[in-house]
Amino acid sequence: MANIINGKTVAAKIKNTIKEQIPLLEHQYGRRPSLCVIMVGNDSANQGYVRNKVQTGLSIGIDARLMALEDNISEAELLKIIHVLNEDPLIDGILVQLPLPAHMNEERVVDAVAKNKDVDGFHTLNVGALWQGTHCIAPCTPKGIIQLIKTTEIPISGKTAVVVGRSNIVGKPVAKLLLDENATVIMAHSYTEDLKKITLLADILIVAVGKEKIITADMIKPGAIVIDVGNTYNTEGKLVGDVDFEGACEVAGYITPVPGGVGPLTIAMLMINTMECFLSHVEANTDVSKLWDNITNARSGKD
Ligand code: NAP
């Protein structure tokens, strides 16, 4: 029976660590980290999720705020607002919730956010830096996936990792982060012939497709670490992942549930990215590694 990787517990430890750090940082730098989340329109599916990001920030001491804009705002007006936030020295992180209304060019809007305030890690320059292996803000979900794998304490280095899905927000960046951890990475997508043959190679299997039960037990190598990124509502209105969880539990060594797996880590990593941006703004020679030392200790339960 697989060990369940509890994303809620891992995320809670990370958030608590940040919560403990913030008063110390405020004392040292005279202000708290700040985050502005911009939501355009009233997409009800998005609203709860967006508010959760802001609420989570506030609950741990980040000065988080929501800027809710009408869906008929023009792209030019939105770009002006982003520009003002870019110039504001008291704003550390800016997140523009996607998708944007059809009359806007998402790429242009995402690239309007200052690179060093781009807490989503979607700016072209951050994506380029990620692939170049230079300093970047890495996107939240892939960063969270790496944290979840690390909770197993099984070294990633040398393992075969299969990533199913090649989107810009999950599949591609997580493949690069796994490569940075010295995994041997294989990427699968909708054109992959014989998906099962590929997934059976995986010591670490990341599935980010958005199709219920695309991965069944017979496609999993015994003992593998399975990270289910999928997050869709099935015909019964139930939130489901991409992996047949019950079946997979019989074969996998470790597995993330949906809900309660990757989702909580995505928000925890947004908080981390806000902290990293804050540290880079308050000090030229920021030592972000100290923050990560604390997070690592929190993950493994050390003091
Ligand atoms: P996406 O942009 O729709 O990409 C889906 C990927 O799946 C594509 O690369 C596609 O291949 C591939 N695919 C589709 N059918 C396939 C098949 N039969 N076999 C193999 N690959 C197939 O999706 P996304 O934005 O990455 O999101 C994926 C899932 O993760 C969604 O359910 C989303 O809601 C969820 N998600 C969760 C979080 C979280 O925080 N929990 C964050 C982000 C996303 P092609 O490229 O060939 O089309």
Side-chain angles (χ1 to χ4, degrees):
M1 199 65 185
N3 295 290
I4 310 294
I5 305 175
N6 187 331
K8 280 190 191 163
T9 310
V10 180
K13 282 184 181 167
I14 293 171
K15 285 184 286 182
N16 276 338
T17 306
I18 299 175
K19 194 175 178 178
E20 284 164 12
Q21 299 283 309
I22 287 181
L24 309 177
L25 293 168
E26 189 175 15
H27 180 72
Q28 195 172 352
Y29 299 111
R31 70 175 182 88
R32 297 192 228 164
S34 66
L35 169 67
C36 183
V37 179
I38 301 175
M39 180 172 67
V40 184
N42 297 317
D43 179 347
S44 53
N46 248 339
Q47 271 201 20
Y49 186 51
V50 172
R51 289 185 200 282
N52 191 9
K53 291 178 182 179
V54 175
Q55 283 306 325
T56 302
L58 290 172
S59 73
I60 61 173
I62 288 176
D63 181 9
R65 66 196 75 167
L66 174 64
M67 192 180 277
L69 304 172
E70 297 293 328
D71 58 5
N72 60 0
I73 186 175
S74 70
E75 183 184 313
E77 284 172 291
L78 176 60
L79 293 177
K80 243 187 250 170
I81 290 170
I82 293 172
H83 181 68
V84 170
L85 295 170
N86 282 344
E87 296 299 313
D88 186 338
L90 298 180
I91 297 286
D92 297 304
I94 303 168
L95 184 156
V96 182
Q97 185 63 43
L98 303 178
L100 288 169
H103 66 276
M104 292 190 184
N105 178 322
E106 279 190 0
E107 203 179 314
R108 212 160 33 221
V109 172
V110 166
D111 280 351
V113 174
K115 177 184 178 246
N116 64 357
K117 297 192 177 189
D118 168 37
V119 281
D120 251 344
F122 292 165
H123 192 293
T124 305
L125 292 174
N126 274 316
V127 176
L130 175 77
W131 285 92
Q132 290 283 9
T134 52
H135 178 75
C136 71
I137 303 168
C140 303
T141 303
K143 205 163 166 169
I145 291 169
I146 300 296
Q147 292 305 306
L148 287 171
I149 298 169
K150 287 188 173 175
T151 62
T152 67
E153 302 204 348
I154 294 173
I156 299 174
S157 178
K159 299 288 188 299
T160 299
V162 173
V163 180
V164 188
R166 55 173 169 181
S167 69
N168 286 333
I169 62 166
V170 189
K172 282 183 204 154
V174 82
K176 176 60 169 68
L177 293 181
L178 286 162
L179 209 50
D180 291 346
E181 297 286 341
N182 299 319
T184 300
V185 183
I186 302 171
M187 297 199 69
H189 42 76
S190 67
Y191 291 83
T192 298
E193 290 177 6
D194 200 348
L195 183 62
K196 178 176 167 180
K197 186 174 150 198
I198 304 294
T199 58
L200 279 172
L201 298 171
D203 302 308
I204 300 169
L205 178 61
I206 317 283
V207 195
V209 174
K211 289 187 181 162
E212 186 181 12
K213 295 189 182 170
I214 191 167
I215 300 295
T216 46
D218 59 318
M219 301 168 81
I220 297 169
K221 181 175 175 179
I225 299 171
V226 179
I227 308 290
D228 188 353
V229 190
N231 207 27
T232 48
Y233 286 92
N234 68 11
T235 47
E236 291 148 31
K238 190 178 163 211
L239 182 64
V240 293
D242 290 343
V243 179
D244 173 14
F245 184 75
E246 279 75 27
C249 278
E250 302 293 327
V251 189
Y254 294 85
I255 188 165
T256 56
V258 176
V262 174
L265 262 292
T266 297
I267 295 194
M269 290 303 118
L270 174 64
M271 302 302 128
I272 290 278
N273 280 355
T274 305
M275 294 290 282
E276 290 189 1
C277 288
F278 167 78
L279 289 171
S280 75
H281 296 151
V282 289
E283 256 190 359
N285 298 315
T286 308
D287 191 359
V288 178
S289 64
K290 271 193 204 144
L291 173 68
W292 275 105
D293 285 347
N294 287 326
I295 300 298
T296 309
N297 289 340
R299 214 180 43 220
S300 61
K302 291 179 205 146
D303 289 332

